[in-house]
Amino acid sequence: MVVFIVSLALASCAGMSSAQRLASSEGAAPPLGPREPDAGRHLTLPAGHFLSECLRDLQRARAHIEALLSLPTPRAPEPALTAYDDAMALLDDASGRAGLGANTHPDAAFRDAAARCAQDADSLRTDVSLDPRVYAALAELDLSGEDTATRRWVDLVLRGFRRAGVHRDAETRARLRVLHDALTRLGQAFSQHIREDIRHVDVPADALDGLPEDYVRHHPPGPDGTVRITTDPPDALPFLTYARDNRAREALWRAGQQRGHPRNLETLSQLLQARHDLATLLGYPNWAAYASEDKMVRQQQVAENFIEQLATATASRVKDDYAALLERKQRDVPGAQRVEPWEQTHLKELVRAERYRFDSRELRPYFEYTRVKQGVMDITSRLFGLTYRRVTDAPVWHPDIEAWDVYEGPTRMGRFYLDMHSRPNKYAHPAQWDLATGRAGRSLPEGVMTSNFPRPGAHPALLQHTQVQSFFHEFGHLLHHILGGQTRWAGLSGSRTERDFVEAPAQVLEEWAWRPESLRTFARHIDTGEPLPTDLITRMRRADAFGKGLWLRQQLFYAAVSLQLHAGNPAGMDTTARVNALQERYMPFPALDDTYAHLSFVQLDGYYSSAYYAYLWSLVIARDLLTPFLRHGLMDPATAQRYRDTVLGPGGSRDAADLVRSFLGRDYGFEAYTRWLDDA
């Protein structure tokens, strides 16, 4: 019987092209149940083997496209859409693994191989998006019998083809391919220059006066008696906050402002020009207009108006915050006329201590890394009805990395990896990366969370509260990827919503880092085991209100930089002068010579480019999404389940505004954000 079945299978493939055989084995007959999650295995391969597997997956993606085109007409929607979706899933997963590998892998040869994989994947994606045959095959499908989500997805896919330039003549499409390839290479170079350019200052041991004991312990003097402080956030942020030595803080701040210089001056100029050339070739006035079209804002002017609206709303708060910092400085430096940028964080800490009896160093003993990790998992497990199981035998690409499977009852929903500690040549900022796309019954979603937290060892690894907040934030992205990764189509899976909504679910989860009902479940003193006192949480929340105006203006400055660098023809633009002018417009701190914040502004590459405003746009929505939780309690499982079902679970199956409306029962508004901004 076995031989007979195999013979039939072989006979059925006889005479087929390789593309048809691939579609027969993978597209039309998906496997029973999702495959075992194993995307992490790719990151454990030798560099050459990784690249070979990447190229093999790209060839499989091409075969799926050929299978789509070879279907007899009129094409049935199911096999046609499955073939296209399979191709895009292979491309997305190859790109996801490559992006993670190029930015975080410990091996230099692997990072190079991953960068090559990303280039080839982007090149193939461009080829598909500019292929009129593929567009026609999808546009001609009769979708009258398909569900709403499928019809919406195909509409978005076809819009993407049109935005890519599929209807342009052959010469224009060839030029678009060249520009896309250039954008990939330039974006990789821009990010690599930042990642590899970690600056440092060597300071005398007494420059650490004011730093927490555990920080001092992890920074012993070298043979020459000096202490090396790097511009990596785990080093730099506590130093700029607590160090009493103003000259040392200035030196470190200036070193951070030099990252990416001078190499990224030319790289950024070329990147901006290539984006502008591509946008104008497609008929748009500039890149910002092109990039805004498929976001919630739809138009560049809406994004510009939003930035100005928030700038106006924060004007009085910024003035008050700055005046308080200057007054505090004048007590130490009589006659001081201004606050310098490297003084902001330190002075803010002093004002908070005096006004609200709050010293953020008091929090650190309550935020030991392993307890924070367990706390985030326990809270989200309780809220969303999930179980997390450590997978100790999963292949990982560094000893620090942990693999966890997510279950709902007996059903495995996906897998995530935690890569949480510092190492050389690793992406410096907290982030979440898609590793594998989830599709109902076919593949499980897999994601990776990376950060640069201190590593537990002989002494406990204590976190700043901002790091606890970022843990919740990035874990929110992971949950969105996994809980939303149960859709029929890869193109609707996980967080494939409008990009100016993507941050909202992560920002929602940050609230659990601020409330006693959540914090006291895991935040316990490292020595006494006592839970974080409610009074300290109250003082922390009150103190956080101070400086909110300055923080928002900093974000608005970055949003304006992101948008305005892309708002016109960049030919001949002095990007440094342009950024300095925007700083003078949005920030109360002077723009200083020989500083280049834009050259290490990682979000200018890739996903956000001109749309950094999305962080604040999403925050407006997130504050409104929190209103039912604040009404019923953060730990209310019924509210959490409804949020999961209406916002996270659908993935990209509906427009973001519809997801929000289904949870709130109304359109989102500005009121909740205004209340949060005015909270003091």
Side-chain angles (χ1 to χ4, degrees):
M1 181 64 73
V2 173
V3 174
F4 177 66
I5 293 174
V6 171
S7 298
L8 279 179
L10 291 173
S12 69
C13 289
M16 290 184 180
S17 69
S18 61
Q20 289 171 319
R21 286 195 294 272
L22 185 59
S24 175
S25 63
E26 294 187 357
L32 296 176
R35 292 188 292 269
E36 185 78 11
D38 74 337
R41 173 188 60 81
H42 293 265
L43 279 296
T44 69
L45 299 172
H49 193 177
F50 171 85
L51 183 57
S52 295
E53 288 212 356
C54 169
L55 298 178
R56 183 203 66 185
D57 283 349
L58 300 188
Q59 185 58 42
R60 292 170 63 205
R62 290 188 187 93
H64 281 301
I65 294 298
E66 291 304 318
L68 161 65
L69 296 175
S70 67
L71 289 170
T73 56
R75 296 177 179 88
E78 177 71 22
L81 294 178
T82 298
Y84 178 78
D85 197 52
D86 285 349
M88 293 300 103
L90 284 164
L91 272 178
D92 286 347
D93 290 352
S95 295
R97 294 191 298 266
L100 176 69
N103 284 281
T104 72
H105 202 279
D107 179 65
F110 193 101
R111 294 195 298 272
D112 291 342
R116 162 71 190 283
C117 172
Q119 291 170 5
D120 288 356
D122 285 352
S123 180
L124 177 55
R125 190 187 305 276
T126 300
D127 286 345
V128 173
S129 70
L130 292 174
D131 191 332
R133 301 173 304 156
V134 181
Y135 177 83
L138 296 174
E140 292 166 0
L141 295 175
D142 179 5
L143 302 179
S144 59
E146 297 296 323
D147 59 29
T148 302
T150 298
R151 294 197 300 272
R152 175 183 177 276
W153 168 54
V154 176
D155 283 345
L156 293 176
V157 168
L158 294 175
R159 183 185 71 178
F161 273 90
R162 293 190 295 270
R163 279 172 45 79
V166 71
H167 289 140
R168 304 285 170 164
D169 59 69
E171 182 180 352
T172 301
R173 295 201 307 274
R175 174 63 179 150
L176 289 168
R177 287 188 181 90
V178 171
L179 287 169
H180 275 292
D181 288 346
L183 287 177
T184 299
R185 292 193 303 273
L186 289 166
Q188 288 180 335
F190 184 80
S191 292
Q192 182 179 358
H193 295 164
I194 299 170
R195 186 177 66 249
E196 294 178 351
D197 189 9
I198 302 300
R199 307 287 176 109
H200 68 269
V201 295
D202 294 325
V203 300
D206 60 8
L208 273 65
D209 288 351
L211 272 297
E213 179 183 344
D214 62 291
Y215 184 98
V216 175
R217 185 170 56 242
H218 283 95
H219 294 80
D224 63 353
T226 64
V227 178
R228 176 156 295 184
I229 309 296
T230 74
T231 54
D232 263 347
D235 259 13
L237 293 180
F239 194 88
L240 292 172
T241 302
Y242 303 121
R244 299 190 182 103
D245 189 323
N246 193 50
R247 289 185 178 180
R249 278 189 276 108
E250 178 183 359
L252 180 63
W253 180 86
R254 287 186 178 275
Q257 295 292 304
Q258 288 279 329
R259 290 184 65 203
H261 183 267
R263 289 197 294 175
N264 268 349
L265 276 173
E266 181 61 24
T267 302
L268 179 59
S269 293
Q270 293 178 11
L271 184 63
L272 295 174
Q273 191 64 56
R275 285 174 177 162
H276 181 75
D277 291 348
L278 188 146
T280 54
L281 191 59
L282 290 169
Y284 296 84
N286 53 60
W287 177 265
Y290 170 72
S292 298
E293 187 182 53
D294 62 348
K295 311 294 190 298
M296 294 183 77
V297 294
R298 298 291 185 257
Q299 296 178 350
Q300 172 189 344
Q301 189 62 52
V302 175
E304 291 178 353
N305 292 346
F306 174 72
I307 292 172
E308 291 308 310
Q309 179 184 7
L310 288 188
T312 300
T314 57
S316 62
R317 288 292 295 269
V318 171
K319 183 178 179 180
D320 292 345
D321 287 350
Y322 184 82
L325 297 185
L326 181 58
E327 187 277 331
R328 181 60 187 82
K329 178 179 178 178
Q330 288 170 339
R331 279 192 263 154
D332 295 331
V333 186
Q337 296 299 306
R338 72 183 195 187
V339 176
E340 303 292 353
W342 57 86
E343 298 171 331
Q344 175 189 179
T345 307
H346 182 67
L347 289 171
K348 185 167 62 176
E349 185 73 10
L350 295 179
V351 172
R352 286 173 169 174
E354 294 169 0
R355 285 191 179 184
Y356 305 103
R357 298 184 299 109
F358 174 71
D359 183 341
S360 62
R361 288 170 294 191
E362 293 181 68
L363 295 172
R364 289 172 67 90
Y366 294 93
F367 293 138
E368 189 272 325
Y369 167 74
T370 59
R371 286 183 177 174
V372 172
K373 178 182 68 176
Q374 191 62 49
V376 172
M377 291 189 189
D378 288 346
I379 287 170
T380 53
S381 171
R382 174 179 166 185
L383 286 173
F384 301 118
L386 305 172
T387 301
Y388 304 118
R389 299 179 188 173
R390 177 82 182 270
V391 187
T392 56
D393 59 349
V396 293
W397 51 103
H398 189 275
D400 283 345
I401 297 171
E402 299 174 358
W404 293 80
D405 279 350
V406 182
Y407 284 83
E408 183 175 37
T411 303
R412 182 161 52 184
M413 305 286 288
R415 174 173 292 178
F416 64 83
Y417 299 81
L418 298 179
D419 182 3
M420 303 299 286
H421 306 300
S422 299
R423 61 175 177 268
N425 297 304
K426 181 183 175 185
Y427 186 79
H429 300 277
Q432 182 268 327
W433 313 76
D434 293 354
L435 196 59
T437 305
R439 286 185 288 177
R442 299 198 59 190
S443 59
L444 291 172
E446 299 180 59
V448 181
M449 177 177 167
T450 62
S451 195
N452 283 286
F453 293 163
R455 182 181 290 101
H459 299 282
L462 304 182
L463 304 185
Q464 297 279 101
H465 180 258
T466 54
Q467 293 173 312
V468 178
Q469 187 178 352
S470 76
F471 202 136
F472 275 96
H473 179 101
E474 301 304 338
F475 205 80
H477 283 309
L478 273 181
L479 288 176
H480 196 188
H481 176 63
I482 290 172
L483 296 179
Q486 317 298 320
T487 55
R488 177 184 178 190
W489 305 111
L492 300 176
S493 182
S495 58
R496 287 171 173 81
T497 62
E498 295 95 322
R499 289 185 181 179
D500 41 7
F501 175 74
V502 165
E503 294 297 329
Q507 291 164 332
V508 165
L509 201 60
E510 288 182 34
E511 191 69 13
W512 277 257
W514 289 98
R515 300 283 176 166
E517 57 265 44
S518 47
L519 283 172
R520 285 173 59 84
T521 64
F522 69 88
R524 294 182 176 274
H525 197 282
I526 191 63
D527 295 323
T528 68
E530 290 297 313
L532 184 61
T534 302
D535 173 65
L536 182 53
I537 298 172
T538 300
R539 287 186 280 122
M540 173 186 73
R541 288 172 49 78
R542 290 179 59 212
D544 178 64
F546 174 73
K548 193 178 288 184
L550 285 171
W551 176 83
L552 282 167
R553 273 303 181 94
Q554 183 80 51
Q555 295 300 301
L556 288 170
F557 162 64
Y558 283 124
V561 168
S562 168
L563 194 65
Q564 294 303 320
L565 288 182
H566 295 90
N569 189 341
M573 179 195 297
D574 182 338
T575 56
T576 303
R578 184 76 180 101
V579 169
N580 286 346
L582 290 170
Q583 177 163 332
E584 298 285 351
R585 162 72 177 83
Y586 288 97
M587 296 296 294
F589 307 107
L592 302 178
D593 292 339
D594 209 25
T595 59
Y596 308 92
H598 57 304
L599 300 186
S600 59
F601 185 10
V602 293
Q603 284 86 353
L604 286 178
D605 170 43
Y607 194 75
Y608 285 101
S609 66
S610 63
Y612 188 81
Y613 76 86
Y615 282 94
L616 293 175
W617 184 277
S618 293
L619 184 58
V620 171
I621 299 173
R623 294 314 308 180
D624 212 358
L625 286 172
L626 280 164
T627 52
F629 285 103
L630 299 179
R631 184 183 310 120
H632 299 292
L634 284 190
M635 301 305 295
D636 178 52
T639 304
Q641 187 62 47
R642 191 164 59 84
Y643 172 70
R644 171 185 165 177
D645 292 343
T646 56
V647 177
L648 302 180
S653 298
R654 304 175 67 187
D655 288 347
D658 291 335
L659 297 175
V660 175
R661 190 180 300 112
S662 64
F663 178 61
L664 294 178
R666 56 172 172 78
D667 292 338
Y668 66 89
F670 221 84
E671 294 79 9
Y673 179 84
T674 301
R675 288 194 300 271
W676 171 79
L677 180 61
D678 292 340
D679 184 26

